[in-house]
Amino acid sequence: MMYSILDWKPKIGILGGGQLGWMMILEGRRFPFTFYVLESDKSAPACKIADKCFSPEQYKEFVDSSDIVTFEFEHVYDKALEYAEESGKLLPKLNTVELKRERYKEKIFYKEHNLPTPRFFIANDGEEALKILKEEFNGVGVLKESRGGYDGKGQYFIKSDIEKYEFLKNKKEKFVVEEYVNFDFEASVIVVRDKKGIIANYPPTFNYNEKGILVYNYGPYYNQEIVNIGKKLSEELDYIGTMGVEVFVVNGKVLINEFAPRVHNTGHYTLDGAFISQFEQHLRAIVGIELGSTSIISPSGMVNILGTDRVPHEVLRYGKIYWYSKAEVRKRRKMGHINVVGNNLEEVKQKIDKIIELIYPNGLDL
């Protein structure tokens, strides 16, 4: 059912108080919505601007008080996720989170639904993972702990130094053992699907990651195969909301690396480079109002501010800053980001290079 925004003023509950929830609320303030957040840290970005912030122990009250429950991070508050699903309020649904709780389930899903992905095996523990790596990939590949990994955590890129990873034999948990992909570049697409099954997408972007964490991205990079993969995945999941799909491009061939069932770091540029941002699209989709345009206004990009709060004011010559106001600076922690726009991709890339030089004069420390 489609609603007039004046007929229904939903209370939207967000699981997690990080920057993705913060930007979702900021973008949603143009609508007559109320926002609740479930978060243990009351100083978290989204808690600071929510109408009410609930503690994890209050998850039932949080869900009962909300008309719709969504999440800004999939590895969060399992009891609340499950209670929201049981209450018929969780969007996207729990099936997407279940794939992300265990990497091996995500990889099997790709294989079963004919979504191209790097060759992989599943190991029951670290010892078996190392054995498979030696036997199937000649000791060169990627070992990924099945549970809890994101932003490069729990991932081990092994080339010719497998002996250094003997400590993994002590890990009694599942692993995904994956071929090492010598890709030309990484890319991603932001896809949004509404309750009617209507799917829209932003143009894909080029991404630069270091040690498993996004440093910057820019676009548009028009590639229909990436778009088709993102749309097929959203259909197979019966997905509702915004998602990010990350891929490798190898000799023109596209392999899906992973997806995120939520608004995504590679879509931050849409706050300034598109008419409607990924965050507003997510809210439109879960509330049940018509999706907006996913066209971009100009070539654009984004630089993550990682592990530092020393951002020279000169960066403002080149872009627009979003500061998350997190209480503590930690290595690799996302403290904010800077969006850039330009008349063409070359101008965007030049601005990104200038911002990188200013924020990381001694190079990235990840």
Side-chain angles (χ1 to χ4, degrees), residues 161-222:
D161 52 354
I162 193 169
E163 295 78 15
K164 286 168 53 178
Y165 296 88
E166 289 293 311
F167 69 91
L168 293 176
K169 288 183 176 180
N170 297 322
K171 287 187 175 284
K172 307 301 181 183
E173 58 189 273
K174 285 185 181 292
F175 279 78
V176 173
V177 185
E178 192 171 282
E179 69 174 316
Y180 178 79
V181 178
N182 188 21
F183 52 81
D184 298 324
F185 57 89
E186 296 172 277
S188 64
V189 65
I190 302 296
V191 176
V192 58
R193 184 174 184 270
D194 70 10
K195 292 181 177 182
K196 287 185 173 182
I198 296 171
I199 304 173
N201 67 276
Y202 294 92
T205 59
F206 295 94
N207 302 335
Y208 175 71
N209 294 274
E210 194 163 310
K211 295 185 179 178
I213 191 167
L214 182 71
V215 179
Y216 63 81
N217 74 316
Y218 58 88
Y221 164 56
Y222 294 105

Side-chain angles (χ1 to χ4, degrees), residues 317-332:
R317 296 175 189 169
Y318 307 105
K320 180 177 175 181
I321 193 166
Y322 291 81
W323 189 252
Y324 306 152
S325 297
K326 294 181 178 178
E328 180 186 359
V329 179
R330 295 198 299 266
K331 189 173 181 177
R332 294 171 57 89

Side-chain angles (χ1 to χ4, degrees), residues 272-298:
D272 297 288
F275 183 61
I276 304 292
S277 75
Q278 65 161 340
F279 301 96
E280 182 177 323
Q281 298 284 23
H282 183 72
L283 294 171
R284 288 183 181 220
I286 65 174
V287 167
I289 56 179
E290 189 171 353
L291 297 179
S293 169
T294 52
S295 62
I296 60 167
I297 299 168
S298 67

